[in-house]
């Protein structure tokens, strides 16, 4: 009778012990400094490109406003401003 009561307790104890060992990660993570450096340089370049894009957008908006503000007789100035905005 005692044997039947202790067997489930022993089985439960072994299950909990095995779960405790299963949670331990024995693999050491190694930082990949080459990829981190590449990622940092990529992110830096991406920020520079985004900054340039914003500057170009603002400049194009200003040129468009200048074109719209010019009178119809200022065709030469309109053409110059339009060419500059097309280059952006």
């Amino acid at each position: 009778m005692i044997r039947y009561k202790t067997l489930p307790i022993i089985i439960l104890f072994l299950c909990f012990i095995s779960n405790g060992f299963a949670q331990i990660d024995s693999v050491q993570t190694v930082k990949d400094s080459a990829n981190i450096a590449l990622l940092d340089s990529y992110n830096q370049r991406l920020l520079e490109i985004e900054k340039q894009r914003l500057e170009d957008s603002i400049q194009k908006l200003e040129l468009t406003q200048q074109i719209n503000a010019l009178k119809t007789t200022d065709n030469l100035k309109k053409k110059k401003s339009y060419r500059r905005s097309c280059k952006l």
Side-chain angles (χ1 to χ4, degrees), residues 65-78:
Q65 288 175 348
Q66 286 178 7
I67 290 171
N68 292 335
L70 291 173
K71 296 179 182 177
T72 56
T73 57
D74 296 333
N75 285 332
L76 185 60
K77 285 184 182 179
K78 271 189 175 184

Side-chain angles (χ1 to χ4, degrees), residues 21-34:
F21 286 120
Q23 297 298 319
I24 297 172
D25 188 13
S26 62
V27 177
Q28 301 252 340
T29 58
V30 178
K31 293 184 179 180
D32 191 1
S33 60

Side-chain angles (χ1 to χ4, degrees), residues 4 13 29 37 41 43-44 46 57 60-62 69 72 76 85:
Y4 294 116
F13 179 74
T29 58
S41 66
N43 285 335
Q44 185 68 26
L46 193 62
S57 296
K60 187 172 183 177
L61 181 64
E62 289 172 353
T72 56
L76 185 60
S85 71

